[in-house]
């Protein structure tokens, strides 16, 4: 019995070490996080375990790794997100750092129509965030009793306490005083003569 337990432990540790030592090559642009994880799984031969809801709508603008370990790829890919990972018995397990309970969604606009690129974040946990798409739409999983901030340059920030309502449409108001404070300064370069 002890020998079997020891053998299983060694196999598990071997799988754990093998998973961490794999070399991953990725060069992707504007890709879903789920697709990146599937590529890491395929190249490393590690299984994946995660809740699809926590990865929904998460995209990575650019990712470029050459001969990187699984741990390096996952650490850098998940940096700044409300996600963490562990490699256990040949399986990559993705979980949330801070548990989210609700998905909110809606439209962000101003008097002229939908706004693209508005940052929507949990005030207490800014790493939980998203931006509106080209149609001004967003969706975000948030913890219970959260306050959500809508921020866009040239507009007044707006905060809302999340309650039972899962749809939150927001109209941002232009902040003319902020626009007047912006000063553009340019500097040139020149060659130093020796």
């Amino acid at each position: 019995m002890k020998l079997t337990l020891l053998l299983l432990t060694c196999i598990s540790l071997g799988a754990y070490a093998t998973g961490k030592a794999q070399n991953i090559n990725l060069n992707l642009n504007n890709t879903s996080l789920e697709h990146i994880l599937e590529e890491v799984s395929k190249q490393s031969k590690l299984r994946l375990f995660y809740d699809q809801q926590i990865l929904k709508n998460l995209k990575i603008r650019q990712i470029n790794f050459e001969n990187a370990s699984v741990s390096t790829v996952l650490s850098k890919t998940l940096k700044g997100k409300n996600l963490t990972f562990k490699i256990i018995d040949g399986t990559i397990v993705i979980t949330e750092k801070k548990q989210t309970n609700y998905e909110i969604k809606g439209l962000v606009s101003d008097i002229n129509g939908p706004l693209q690129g508005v940052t929507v974040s949990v005030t207490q946990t800014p790493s939980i965030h998203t931006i509106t798409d080209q149609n001004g739409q967003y969706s975000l999983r948030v913890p219970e009793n959260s306050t959500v901030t809508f921020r866009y340059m040239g507009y007044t920030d707006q905060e809302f306490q999340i309650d039972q309502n899962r749809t939150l449409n927001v109209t941002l108001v232009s902040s003319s005083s902020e626009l007047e404070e912006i000063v553009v300064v340019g500097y040139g370069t020149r060659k130093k003569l020796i």
Side-chain angles (χ1 to χ4, degrees):
M1 180 68 175
K2 287 183 180 180
L3 181 60
T4 305
L5 184 59
L6 179 62
L7 183 59
L8 286 174
T9 303
C10 289
I11 290 170
S12 295
L13 290 174
Y16 180 79
T18 302
K20 292 189 75 116
Q22 295 292 331
N23 289 331
I24 304 297
N25 296 303
L26 286 175
N27 187 2
L28 301 167
N29 293 317
N30 199 23
T31 306
S32 71
L33 181 55
E34 198 166 6
H35 178 70
I36 292 168
L37 293 174
E38 288 167 359
E39 283 295 315
V40 170
S41 172
K42 189 163 76 173
Q43 289 185 33
S44 66
K45 306 218 182 334
L46 295 171
R47 295 179 303 272
L48 283 172
F49 181 79
Y50 58 88
D51 176 0
Q52 285 184 320
Q53 289 298 319
I54 66 174
L55 300 183
K56 188 177 171 186
N57 299 322
L58 289 179
K59 291 206 177 268
I60 306 295
R61 287 188 185 145
Q62 184 176 26
I63 188 167
N64 189 6
F65 292 102
E66 192 171 319
N67 292 322
S69 71
V70 172
S71 293
T72 299
V73 172
L74 293 174
S75 294
K76 290 185 179 179
T77 302
L78 300 179
K79 185 177 181 181
K81 294 178 180 35
N82 186 39
L83 298 170
T84 187
F85 75 94
K86 288 183 182 175
I87 301 174
I88 304 169
D89 294 333
T91 303
I92 301 168
V93 180
I94 307 291
T95 56
E96 294 180 305
K97 290 178 188 173
K98 181 166 182 158
Q99 183 67 37
T100 59
N101 304 315
Y102 304 111
E103 181 175 17
I104 61 169
K105 59 185 173 181
L107 171 70
V108 181
S109 57
D110 67 0
I111 59 171
N112 298 315
L115 291 172
Q116 178 180 1
V118 176
T119 301
V120 183
S121 61
V122 175
T123 308
Q124 304 90 325
T125 314
S127 64
I128 302 175
H129 67 276
T130 190
I131 60 170
T132 57
D133 66 15
Q134 66 272 14
N135 300 315
Q137 301 283 335
Y138 73 93
S139 72
L140 181 66
R141 289 182 54 85
V142 299
E144 193 172 12
N145 300 321
S146 294
T147 302
V148 177
T149 302
F150 293 81
R151 180 170 286 135
Y152 195 61
M153 187 170 166
Y155 290 81
T156 303
D157 292 354
Q158 291 194 30
E159 289 188 355
F160 295 91
Q161 180 72 37
I162 301 305
D163 54 20
Q164 299 297 337
N165 189 2
R166 302 290 190 263
T167 301
L168 183 58
N169 295 322
V170 177
T171 303
L172 294 180
V173 179
S174 177
S175 173
S176 59
S177 63
E178 283 185 28
L179 291 176
E180 291 172 6
E181 293 176 13
I182 296 174
V183 178
V184 178
V185 179
Y187 293 95
T189 60
R190 63 178 172 190
K191 213 178 225 182
K192 183 177 179 182
L193 297 174
I194 300 178

